[in-house]
Amino acid sequence: MTTLASIRDLTVTYRRDSNEVAALRSVSLDIANGERLAIIGESGSGKSTLALAIAGLLPGSSRIGGRIDWFLPSSPPSGAKAPPSVLPDISPSRGEIGSSPAGPLSASLAMGESGDKGVISPLEGEMSGRTEGGLVRREVRKSSLKQSYIPRLGRDIGFVFQDPSASLDPVMTIGKQIAEVARTHLGLTWSQSYARAKSLIERVRLPDPDSALRAFPHQLSGGQKQRVAIAAAIAAGPKLLIADEATSALDTIVQAEIVALIRRLVTEDGMTLLFISHDIALAAELAERIAVFRHGQLVELGMTAQIVGAPAQHYTRALLDAHIGLDTRPLLDRAGLHA
Amino acid sequence: MSLLAVSNLTKCYRRGDKTIAAVDDVSFHIDPGETLALAGPSGSGKSTIARLVLRLIEPDDGRIDFEGSDFLALSGAALRARRARLQMVFQDPLAAFNPRATVARVLDDPLRVHGIASRAERPRRIAALLERVGLIADLAPRAIHEISGGQRQRVAIARAIATKPSLIVLDEAASALDVSVRGEILKLLLDLQRQEKIAYLFISHDLGVIRSVAHRVILLDAGRIAENGDAQTVIDAPQSAIGKALVAAAPRLNRTLMRLASAGLD
Ligand SMILES: Nc1ncnc2c1ncn2[C@@H]1O[C@H](COP(=O)(O)OP(=O)(O)OP(=O)(O)O)[C@@H](O)[C@H]1O
Ligand SMILES: Nc1ncnc2c1ncn2[C@@H]1O[C@H](COP(=O)(O)OP(=O)(O)O)[C@@H](O)[C@H]1O
Ligand SMILES: [Mg+2]
Ligand SMILES: [Mg+2]
């Protein structure tokens, strides 16, 4: 199995008031091409921070260190072999990536799809931001993260958030939001982009695709909105799909539908999935491998059967024991009530 | 006699030109010291029932008897006195409290409002309440936003039991907590129930949790009762379509393990 991304010593701290909060401490892990990898852990363990760091979405108040080597089709083929010294150093001074001299990065620029005017523009160096109707607004951040390539959000990485409302523009039609991602990243015309949006709406199984294209987010249920957010996330055919608690705000029936949808789309498109969840049972149903996080550190990483069936770490065992499933022995002593 | 008896409860909301029955002709009862769970998909009416029972909203139709009196007919001092016996804990205690208030202040309010303890006696009562829910008394001067989510939910429970209620309505009270903390909170609730004979109306989307802590369960679908019975019996073998769908959708660790084990043998 080939590697999609190799993360080494990833460290993230947030500045809050005058304090520094360490959210990730020297995390190293490889994401394999085409795998479904789950990240689990309790709240505050650093799951979202990892997802945001990989996607280049961390806020300006954060400080990142470490290194990520990318093996995306559009990233330099020799990226892994490049000595660290020639890797673009993602620091403010190297922000002007578009003007950087020859090196692994320029290989990636040369390979950029035609029509995508977005060779990495000077504005898109080492930055963060948030999505707006599928587009990303970025801001410059202090960082010593070394990356062999700067993946583009939307094009290389699709991101699905917990709250679909937050990632959708309330005053833009569903069709336009999805089409815009395809147009921006694939260089399609508007009519080609709308055609792609319609087929995506069909693929995520929204009822009545033609009227869904013209609908606004508030006219859809939470589960339907999440389907739209997924359609927008995969509109430009990213290699990596990151879903951060994407089903946690939905009821269990809708959650099961969305999980089945993600599984189908990832398989059909040969995508790699990073599935972030606090629910170990849900993660185990979907993922081939599970990484357990605690206090910003990677506690254990293994095949799902091993993590769930024979965890090596006490903490993983404790998480499993705390799970209350449909066949767990009840806490309630039922003899008590009428005694 | 039942502690709480709800008969033919109905509550409609207008949405545009349509009327939606959020709660549609629902009847049930809860015995003293019993946990009745409400489950169902999002929008099925669980929280609306909770708000009706607490008289935070008024029904369009139906009757609620609590501790032997017509609860909807009560007003003034009689209502206030009866309200002390009916408490609530919601999902997000931060939203329920002023985050700048101290823990002591949050617990002082019910003791004062319901005249349960004199001013001189209240600090001792507050310390005892904190201890009762497994917190140290040193937490009293801390602000609500300065304590952890699990500690906050314990404070919410301490506040609910301050007035010695016979029934507590819990709407997703343990749902936002980490699994390790959630287990502790559920054990605390069962412990309080055993010792003080408190009944719970326990709302949750988590059938595993309901099966673990509730005596009986009602499954709701679009404001109506779809199924109703012993919690373990219903969840182990649901009869209604919505019950089957809810159970099928619940992730299952053991099923996954067995699937993986048999895949590993091939
Ligand atoms: N104040 C209100 N105005 C209009 N409609 C409402 C109001 N409150 C609830 N509803 C509607 O009543 C129905 C039941 O809502 P309710 O909040 O009781 O559901 P629930 O079972 O608690 O769902 P969840 O699992 O999402 O919390 C829904 O259709 C909801 O949209
Ligand atoms: N924008 C932020 N500013 C300051 N601290 C943050 C921010 N985001 C997360 N944190 C902190 O970083 C740690 C990890 O958080 P997060 O990655 O969101 O965890 P998880 O997703 O596992 O719940 C926590 O201590 C959290 O409070
Ligand atoms: Mg998170
Ligand atoms: Mg509710």
Side-chain angles (χ1 to χ4, degrees):
Chain A
M1 187 159 273
T2 58
T3 301
L4 176 77
S6 171
I7 299 166
R8 289 294 173 271
D9 303 313
L10 184 63
T11 297
V12 177
T13 54
Y14 293 103
R15 235 174 308 117
R16 197 162 41 193
D17 305 327
S18 53
N19 300 328
E20 295 256 312
V21 182
L24 284 181
R25 304 159 200 253
S26 197
V27 168
S28 296
L29 98 116
D30 285 349
I31 303 174
N33 237 315
E35 77 166 330
R36 298 189 302 268
L37 172 64
I39 308 290
I40 67 159
E42 299 199 299
S43 75
S45 60
K47 305 182 295 295
S48 296
T49 301
L50 177 70
L52 295 173
I54 291 172
L57 283 175
L58 281 170
S61 62
S62 61
R63 191 191 298 275
I64 326 180
R67 148 182 188 142
I68 305 179
D69 285 324
W70 288 96
F71 305 90
L72 289 155
S74 49
S75 67
S78 61
K81 293 183 202 102
S85 59
V86 303
L87 290 169
D89 178 359
I90 311 310
S91 63
S93 60
R94 292 293 302 265
E96 266 68 356
I97 302 249
S99 62
S100 70
L105 190 77
S106 55
S108 79
L109 296 182
M111 289 168 64
E113 292 86 344
S114 61
D116 184 352
K117 65 174 161 40
V119 281
I120 300 167
S121 76
L123 269 178
E124 289 187 354
E126 68 321 329
M127 307 165 246
S128 64
R130 60 197 188 94
T131 52
E132 276 182 1
L135 293 176
V136 184
R137 191 165 68 197
R138 291 167 178 263
E139 60 186 77
V140 177
R141 180 186 6 82
K142 271 211 189 85
S143 169
S144 59
L145 178 71
K146 292 178 166 57
Q147 291 200 81
S148 61
Y149 168 76
I150 314 287
R152 285 162 298 171
L153 194 68
R155 179 69 190 91
D156 297 312
I157 300 178
F159 205 113
V160 184
F161 296 88
Q162 170 165 350
D163 176 7
S165 303
S167 57
L168 297 176
D169 185 335
V171 296
M172 203 192 279
T173 62
I174 298 309
K176 185 160 188 208
Q177 305 200 37
I178 300 172
E180 187 139 304
V181 181
R183 201 183 65 92
T184 306
H185 293 290
L186 303 178
L188 305 178
T189 64
W190 270 116
S191 74
Q192 290 169 325
S193 302
Y194 268 100
R196 189 171 170 87
K198 188 178 169 195
S199 81
L200 282 160
I201 283 177
E202 285 163 358
R203 285 191 69 202
V204 299
R205 307 227 166 114
L206 276 180
D208 194 357
D210 283 309
S211 80
L213 273 176
R214 292 188 302 270
F216 289 93
H218 74 268
Q219 294 172 309
L220 305 178
S221 72
Q224 290 171 336
K225 269 186 266 196
Q226 199 56 292
R227 287 173 191 267
V228 172
I230 291 169
I234 65 167
K239 282 301 290 174
L240 175 62
L241 181 65
I242 301 178
D244 186 1
E245 305 274 9
T247 65
S248 304
L250 306 171
D251 78 39
T252 46
I253 294 177
V254 181
Q255 166 171 287
E257 291 167 3
I258 296 291
V259 165
L261 172 69
I262 290 175
R263 177 197 289 273
R264 178 167 60 77
L265 295 173
V266 163
T267 306
E268 285 172 2
D269 291 5
M271 280 184 287
T272 303
L273 176 68
L274 198 61
F275 184 80
I276 292 160
S277 176
H278 61 276
D279 185 338
I280 196 169
L282 184 66
E285 283 194 346
L286 182 58
E288 293 150 331
R289 289 201 304 159
I290 296 180
V292 182
F293 277 71
R294 185 190 198 191
H295 301 331
Q297 285 176 311
L298 177 62
V299 170
E300 184 169 7
L301 170 63
M303 299 302 290
T304 299
Q306 180 255 307
I307 295 290
V308 176
Q313 297 297 319
H314 285 300
Y315 180 66
T316 310
R317 179 81 262 162
L319 275 185
L320 288 163
D321 289 345
H323 174 72
I324 302 176
L326 291 182
D327 44 11
T328 305
R329 204 167 82 87
L331 288 168
L332 178 72
D333 173 10
R334 299 166 137 261
L337 178 60
H338 300 287
Chain B
M1 196 186 51
S2 298
L3 176 71
L4 179 82
V6 165
S7 324
N8 310 104
L9 206 58
T10 298
K11 176 72 183 176
C12 296
Y13 287 111
R14 297 200 62 80
R15 190 182 295 156
D17 48 3
K18 276 189 287 187
T19 301
I20 294 171
V23 176
D24 190 357
D25 195 24
V26 164
S27 304
F28 62 84
H29 69 94
I30 305 179
D31 286 335
E34 183 188 34
T35 298
L36 173 68
L38 296 181
S42 183
S44 58
K46 306 180 294 292
S47 296
T48 305
I49 291 177
R51 289 193 284 267
L52 288 167
V53 165
L54 291 162
R55 274 195 74 179
L56 299 173
I57 54 175
E58 294 293 314
D60 297 326
D61 201 2
R63 183 184 165 96
I64 300 173
D65 288 283
F66 176 55
E67 292 190 329
S69 52
D70 180 352
F71 193 50
L72 296 173
L74 294 180
S75 63
L79 175 60
R80 220 169 315 121
R82 198 50 57 89
R83 274 225 158 108
R85 305 279 297 155
L86 176 49
Q87 289 292 345
M88 65 197 113
V89 178
F90 291 138
Q91 173 162 354
D92 180 9
L94 249 196
F97 303 143
N98 171 1
R100 294 191 189 289
T102 62
V103 169
R105 181 63 205 269
V106 160
L107 298 179
D108 192 72
D109 282 346
L111 296 175
R112 182 172 44 82
V113 170
H114 292 287
I116 287 166
S118 69
R119 173 187 276 264
E121 205 190 335
R122 291 208 287 268
R124 201 183 47 76
R125 279 296 191 94
I126 289 169
L129 280 169
L130 286 174
E131 193 191 332
R132 188 69 199 82
V133 297
L135 294 173
I136 49 169
D138 297 5
L139 223 57
R142 299 267 287 276
I144 286 294
H145 71 84
E146 290 174 341
I147 61 178
S148 74
Q151 288 173 329
R152 239 177 258 145
Q153 207 55 304
R154 285 178 195 268
V155 171
I157 293 169
R159 179 160 90 157
I161 61 172
T163 60
K164 301 210 172 297
S166 57
L167 175 64
I168 303 180
V169 174
L170 301 136
D171 191 349
E172 304 278 8
S175 306
L177 302 171
D178 280 328
V179 283
S180 54
V181 181
R182 186 185 64 187
E184 295 307 311
I185 295 288
L186 293 174
K187 281 184 197 141
L188 169 64
L189 290 172
L190 293 186
D191 194 36
L192 290 170
Q193 177 168 71
R194 224 171 8 249
Q195 296 184 9
E196 333 260 341
K197 233 188 171 209
I198 303 172
Y200 298 125
L201 180 60
F202 187 92
I203 296 175
S204 175
H205 63 271
D206 190 329
L207 293 183
V209 167
I210 287 178
R211 187 178 169 282
S212 182
V213 303
H215 296 94
R216 286 186 299 124
V217 66
I218 287 175
L219 302 184
L220 291 163
D221 189 14
R224 297 185 142 263
I225 294 181
E227 190 167 352
N228 170 11
D230 174 85
Q232 273 186 55
T233 311
V234 166
I235 291 167
D236 289 347
Q239 302 298 310
S240 63
I242 198 71
K244 287 175 183 166
L246 286 166
V247 168
R252 289 205 217 183
L253 261 182
N254 285 337
R255 185 177 60 189
T256 302
L257 249 186
M258 271 154 60
R259 174 174 59 78
L260 292 171
S262 66
L265 293 177
D266 308 337

